Amino acid sequence: MATKQSVGANAVKTTTKQARELGLTRQVSLSERGLVWGLLGLILSAAFALGLVLIAQGRFSSVHPDLWGTVIRGYTGYGELMGVMAVLFALLTFAFSLRKRALQERLKFLRGTMMAWLWVHVVAGVLTLVAATLHAGVGLMDYQVTTGKLLYWLLLWISVSGVVWRLVYKWIPRQAAPQVGNFSPAISSERAAKSELELEKIAAGRSEVLRQWKDWLLERPRTEAELQGAKAQFLASPEAPVFARLCELAASRDRSLARAKKQQAFISRLQGWRILHVPLSFLFMGLIVLHVLEAYDFGPKYLPRSIRSNTALPAAITGHHDPKDCGTCHQAIYDQWKHSMHAHALTSPLMIAQSNQVTRQELAGAKSPDPKRICVNCHAPITTELAQQELLPFPGGPRMNEGITCTVCHQFTGQSRIGGGAFTEVIIDHLDRGRVMYGRFSGAVGNTSHQSRVSPVLDKDPSVICQNCHDVNYDRSGDGQVQVGTDLVLQTTYQEYVEYRASGGQGTCTECHMPIVAGAARVAERSGLAQDSKAPPRVLRDHSFVGVDHPLDIPGAADPHRPMRQALLQRAATFVLDNIQFDKSRRRLSAQVEITNSGAGHTLPSGFAFARQMWIEFTVEDAATGAQVFSSGVLQKNTDDLCDAGTFDDLQSPIRTQMQGCTASDPQLVNFQKKLVDKAEVERDAQGFPLRNPRGELIPKAAKDATEQSIQRVAGNPITRRRPSDGQLLGSIPPDEGRRFSYNVTIPERSAKLRLKARLLFRNLPPYFVRDIAKNQPATEVPQLMPMLKNLDIVEMAVANGALELPVTDSDFREEAAPAP
């Protein structure tokens, strides 16, 4: 047996050698050897994997911690490199279909045999899968449905179908050769047709019986037994030889048809995977384009506003990120934000009413879009850019009426400008819409929701971003300079902060309004696959953005930020009651209250100071009877107005009629609220030269025919009030400066001991101000302000007590001023 096998092998070798010598076979070239291509593919795969290992070890983090850090995802530098390689290898696999015409006939330097190009196709396909796997990285391990995942699973199916197809090509021909010989059912069918035609020709002109048997033969393939039985019936017939010939032709025809059927079956097995492989390959190339457009945020950056304003579409198309989505991972931060005034910036009842009245009454004729949206551009830069109208609320439901959302700060990449937030080209035109979020930390943990980069704005001093919206002005003259007194200047908080820092102040905006959160912060995971690894401990800041405002539609006690707001206000000032003296001859008490701005990095009060009431409540009581001897700044209800002479005694002012709780003005009232007038001019000296304050700014004053307003007028300005009793200006107090105010009270004869009490109080809105805006609201506007007036909150910033025992006779005259027990 061994000898026969050896002889057979030698015979095969001899036959192969003879075939080569006769030119029937050829030498297989190096480019046609699968081992060579497989080794090349293995080397490239190993090189790609080595790159992944180096990335995971952080070897390239120093180049760029966000792009070349340890994150293994498609949006990193390494991920993008592998994505490019995957596309290039995918294109190379498609070159297989061009191997004959373009590459083999026209391009001489890329000619190759069918076998060589087949191996290129196979190895390039495997490398495409390897590069795509490394490109996606850990992004393959979560449950989110993305174009990238669809693309990857499609590629996997293509690869599987291609490999199976290749195995089938190796296996099916070996099965088919002994059964059908070749894969040409057309030839077999042609042979069957010829046999049938020959059969018809022979039967033509023969007897009716023979023609009937001919039809019987053609009805279906007959078994050998059936044929022998039929032939037996013709043994005595002179047509027996003819019938025998018909049987041979019928058998030949049936064999050809059977071969054609088998050949078609083998072809179906051979080409069946092609039906799956080729269409999927074309679908893959189309989906690559869609994936690249999505990965590079084509939708948010380039789709028209009409499409992006549809908040029902995913953020990958609109770029409109729902803060609730951010809250799925950053739950604590989201909970802080959702109760903040940033979150309520566009839905605050006062904002809606006041903004709409400014738009209708003052900016209706404005030609350029920015003045019409000078308020909403800051209050909601994202939705403002998408909305088609100026009046609030915007159509589209809650998603189109979100205020200062996460993306406003974490996708802003422009140059901050003092007071620039109200203008489109400052914030809206410099939002990097898409899935990149910018922050202060580099090397952020990879996650399923967004990419992370170090912010060019927040990197060094996050406070700089505040200047966009926390200075509010309008260059009315258009000369490129904004000057108090000649242009509309409603808020100078950030400029005040700049001056505070320039004078040696060490605090920042974030230290007060975004204090450090105690303990280490971690990202809350939706599942174990939401982020690539455990988030490192980081020192984060509170995103409540606590300030002095509160939502008017929420009662003060129900506002979860109320304790923080109170604490902020109570840290702002130092409050002292001293110099308590008594003039016996006139029975006149005098005392002084000093307020020092010791805790704010801007003036006190700041912001829209015409809508802020910081005042002194000063009372003197008879210690024996408890009877009130004197009061200034005392309110019976939180909805009562301060009886400020600047408003109450202005009989020409239409806003005065909205004051409640006053029968006369309070001449000794200390109220730091500025007065918003519709027409302003510059204060001048006797010679007509403009006067300037210690900061070098022009001093605005009300024009002769000016009246107080509750909405901003382009020609107006806030002006400083004066205290009637001594003519003292009640301007905001700069950082580290103080203001001292005297109170003079006539004491009744019967009083022997007095208790003095001074409180520094704060209210973010004056009631008459709210009432005046409310009376101009259309009945259809929602929400209506008047029912919410009761929610005004008064905060006690500081309190100081004193006592004075009055002299009874000259002999025991003594004077005492001490803190009350």
Side-chain angles (χ1 to χ4, degrees):
M1 181 68 71
T3 305
K4 289 182 180 180
Q5 289 177 345
S6 178
V7 171
N10 291 332
V12 171
K13 291 180 181 177
T14 303
T15 303
T16 304
K17 182 178 180 181
Q18 291 173 348
R20 289 175 180 169
E21 290 174 350
L22 294 172
L24 299 178
T25 62
R26 64 181 180 80
Q27 184 73 31
V28 177
S29 67
L30 194 63
S31 64
E32 294 174 315
R33 296 185 182 275
L35 183 62
V36 174
W37 289 106
L39 185 60
L40 178 61
L42 188 61
I43 292 172
L44 288 175
S45 298
F48 295 161
L50 177 60
L52 180 69
V53 171
L54 295 176
I55 288 293
Q57 292 178 347
R59 297 293 183 88
F60 303 108
S61 295
S62 59
V63 176
H64 193 297
D66 290 326
L67 284 176
W68 295 96
T70 57
V71 175
I72 303 172
R73 285 183 175 268
Y75 54 74
T76 63
Y78 179 77
E80 289 184 341
L81 176 62
M82 287 297 98
V84 171
M85 297 303 296
V87 172
L88 291 178
F89 284 125
L91 293 173
L92 190 56
T93 62
F94 268 75
F96 177 65
S97 63
L98 305 174
R99 66 191 180 279
K100 287 186 177 179
R101 293 185 180 179
L103 298 180
Q104 210 159 292
E105 295 178 8
R106 300 177 186 177
L107 303 177
K108 296 181 179 180
F109 61 91
L110 285 177
R111 284 184 176 182
T113 64
M114 171 82 166
M115 184 57 66
W117 274 105
L118 180 60
W119 281 115
V120 170
H121 178 79
V122 171
V123 174
V126 173
L127 287 172
T128 301
L129 184 60
V130 171
T133 303
L134 298 178
H135 164 69
V138 294
L140 291 174
M141 299 172 63
D142 61 70
Y143 304 119
Q144 281 191 332
V145 178
T146 63
T147 58
K149 279 201 191 64
L150 293 176
L151 195 60
Y152 182 81
W153 289 111
L154 183 59
L155 175 61
L156 195 60
W157 270 105
I158 293 171
S159 301
V160 169
S161 66
V163 170
V164 173
W165 189 15
R166 185 73 183 94
L167 294 175
V168 165
Y169 251 93
K170 197 169 185 65
W171 179 57
I172 292 295
R174 293 179 181 179
Q175 267 195 329
Q179 298 183 49
V180 297
N182 58 56
F183 292 95
S184 182
I187 294 176
S188 298
S189 298
E190 185 179 349
R191 287 176 181 172
K194 287 180 179 180
S195 297
E196 186 173 339
L197 180 61
E198 185 67 20
L199 192 149
E200 292 284 359
K201 286 179 180 181
I202 293 174
R206 299 291 179 175
S207 66
E208 181 64 27
V209 174
L210 186 67
R211 289 200 301 272
Q212 288 177 355
W213 280 102
K214 179 266 297 182
D215 293 338
W216 177 80
L217 289 171
L218 294 177
E219 279 180 1
R220 62 177 177 82
R222 299 298 174 176
T223 64
E224 186 63 28
E226 288 176 316
L227 290 175
Q228 292 301 327
K231 287 178 181 180
Q233 298 184 42
F234 273 88
L235 288 177
S237 171
E239 293 183 314
V242 177
F243 183 70
R245 176 61 179 157
L246 292 181
C247 288
E248 291 176 3
L249 290 171
S252 176
R253 173 238 186 201
D254 292 341
R255 286 193 301 272
S256 295
L257 289 177
R259 182 184 296 109
K261 188 175 181 180
K262 280 189 175 183
Q263 287 171 326
Q264 189 59 54
F266 279 118
I267 289 174
S268 296
R269 295 177 198 172
L270 199 63
Q271 300 294 343
W273 286 95
R274 180 181 180 182
I275 297 173
L276 180 65
H277 185 75
V278 175
L280 288 182
S281 298
F282 281 101
L283 179 61
F284 174 78
M285 295 307 291
L287 196 56
I288 281 180
V289 176
L290 184 61
H291 175 60
V292 170
L293 292 178
E294 180 192 20
Y296 288 96
D297 299 314
F298 176 84
K301 286 180 169 65
Y302 303 109
L303 284 178
R305 184 171 66 175
S306 58
I307 295 177
R308 291 188 292 107
S309 61
N310 184 355
T311 54
L313 295 174
I317 296 176
T318 65
H320 191 104
H321 298 275
D322 189 343
K324 290 182 181 177
D325 293 339
C326 302
T328 57
C329 285
H330 305 283
Q331 186 64 53
I333 290 175
Y334 172 75
D335 289 342
Q336 294 159 4
W337 170 85
K338 71 181 180 181
H339 297 294
S340 71
M341 286 307 296
H342 275 194
H344 291 82
L346 202 65
T347 57
S348 166
L350 187 72
M351 167 61 187
I352 292 174
Q354 193 174 32
S355 177
N356 287 348
Q357 289 178 35
V358 170
T359 300
R360 291 191 189 101
Q361 299 177 28
E362 190 68 10
L363 302 175
K367 294 181 180 180
S368 58
D370 282 330
K372 288 183 181 179
R373 298 188 168 203
I374 196 168
C375 299
V376 292
N377 273 349
C378 262
H379 280 249
I382 302 294
T383 52
T384 297
E385 190 265 342
L386 299 177
Q388 307 293 316
Q389 67 179 43
E390 281 74 42
L391 296 178
L392 301 176
F394 291 143
R399 286 289 308 280
M400 279 295 288
N401 287 275
E402 292 166 340
I404 311 298
T405 60
C406 313
T407 54
V408 174
C409 293
H410 292 285
Q411 287 192 324
F412 176 65
T413 59
Q415 183 68 43
S416 293
R417 193 179 82 196
I418 289 181
F423 303 96
T424 299
E425 74 274 7
V426 176
I427 290 186
I428 294 175
D429 287 350
H430 290 91
L431 289 171
D432 186 16
R433 300 174 185 84
R435 285 176 296 179
V436 178
M437 294 294 169
Y438 296 88
R440 299 197 67 194
F441 301 117
S442 61
V445 172
N447 61 85
T448 60
S449 301
H450 61 81
Q451 304 172 34
S452 300
R453 299 283 186 275
V454 173
S455 169
V457 183
L458 303 177
D459 185 21
K460 295 180 180 178
D461 181 8
S463 299
V464 299
I465 202 171
C466 306
Q467 66 181 307
N468 284 324
C469 289
H470 287 279
D471 264 38
V472 180
N473 52 60
Y474 179 57
D475 183 10
R476 190 171 63 203
S477 61
D479 60 1
Q481 294 183 340
V482 175
Q483 290 194 11
V484 177
T486 58
D487 295 308
L488 179 63
V489 179
L490 298 173
Q491 182 178 158
T492 59
T493 302
Y494 191 80
Q495 187 60 46
E496 296 159 11
Y497 166 73
V498 171
E499 293 173 3
Y500 157 77
R501 294 284 292 186
S503 64
Q506 298 299 309
T508 65
C509 303
T510 53
E511 286 180 9
C512 286
H513 301 285
M514 295 183 70
I516 292 175
V517 178
R522 287 184 175 87
V523 177
E525 299 182 20
R526 289 172 293 182
S527 71
L529 303 177
Q531 57 191 41
D532 300 353
S533 61
K534 184 178 180 181
R538 296 198 191 274
V539 177
L540 295 187
R541 292 188 175 274
D542 191 292
H543 281 63
S544 302
F545 303 103
V546 59
V548 299
D549 284 308
H550 67 93
L552 198 59
D553 52 343
I554 300 176
D559 179 14
H561 290 176
R562 188 173 191 258
M564 289 187 291
R565 189 170 66 253
Q566 289 178 322
L568 179 76
L569 285 165
Q570 288 165 358
R571 291 194 305 267
T574 302
F575 193 60
V576 176
L577 170 62
D578 60 9
N579 287 340
I580 302 174
Q581 299 179 6
F582 183 69
D583 184 342
K584 179 185 174 184
S585 62
R586 295 190 297 168
R587 293 200 61 80
R588 194 165 183 82
L589 166 74
S590 65
Q592 290 185 330
V593 175
E594 184 176 38
I595 307 169
T596 302
N597 180 356
S598 57
H602 47 69
T603 65
L604 191 67
S606 187
F608 292 118
F610 55 87
R612 311 271 194 252
Q613 287 189 325
M614 185 180 78
W615 76 98
I616 298 174
E617 177 193 84
F618 185 79
T619 58
V620 180
E621 291 182 354
D622 188 309
T625 63
Q628 194 170 82
V629 176
F630 172 83
S631 69
S632 173
V634 175
L635 300 179
Q636 299 304 315
K637 298 183 299 182
N638 66 321
T639 56
D640 281 349
D641 285 293
L642 293 173
C643 301
D644 192 297
T647 298
F648 190 81
D649 292 347
D650 184 1
L651 301 180
Q652 304 301 316
S653 172
I655 201 172
R656 176 188 181 276
T657 60
Q658 302 302 325
M659 296 186 74
Q660 294 183 10
C662 296
T663 56
S665 61
D666 182 351
Q668 296 199 60
L669 176 67
V670 176
N671 173 24
F672 290 92
Q673 174 198 356
K674 289 189 176 181
K675 184 175 180 180
L676 183 64
V677 296
D678 59 350
K679 296 177 184 178
E681 58 186 28
V682 177
E683 190 90 52
R684 299 178 183 275
D685 62 17
Q687 288 73 38
F689 293 106
L691 295 175
R692 295 182 180 271
N693 61 22
R695 298 166 60 187
E697 300 169 333
L698 295 172
I699 302 174
K701 73 170 186 176
K704 290 183 179 180
D705 56 346
T707 58
E708 187 175 1
Q709 300 287 305
S710 58
I711 65 170
Q712 300 91 340
R713 305 289 182 180
V714 174
N717 249 313
I719 61 171
T720 302
R721 297 174 186 262
R722 286 184 182 273
R723 188 185 188 203
S725 62
D726 56 14
Q728 191 171 353
L729 282 172
L730 298 173
S732 298
I733 307 171
D736 300 321
E737 291 188 18
R739 295 286 185 273
R740 183 171 283 273
F741 301 93
S742 297
Y743 286 88
N744 294 290
V745 181
T746 299
I747 305 301
E749 290 286 344
R750 62 183 178 275
S751 298
K753 188 173 183 179
L754 302 175
R755 284 197 296 261
L756 290 78
K757 186 174 184 178
R759 293 199 299 162
L760 183 62
L761 302 177
F762 184 90
R763 179 166 59 184
N764 71 310
L765 289 169
Y768 74 91
F769 198 88
V770 178
R771 293 189 194 97
D772 191 64
I773 295 174
K775 76 178 176 64
N776 292 315
Q777 275 190 288
T780 56
E781 188 171 80
V782 177
Q784 290 286 306
L785 282 179
M786 280 305 295
M788 300 178 186
L789 187 64
K790 64 181 181 296
N791 294 333
L792 283 176
D793 192 26
I794 297 175
V795 176
E796 182 182 87
M797 295 176 62
V799 62
N801 294 292
L804 178 67
E805 189 168 337
L806 303 182
V808 179
T809 64
D810 291 340
S811 61
D812 63 356
F813 176 87
R814 57 192 177 92
E815 184 177 314
E816 180 181 324

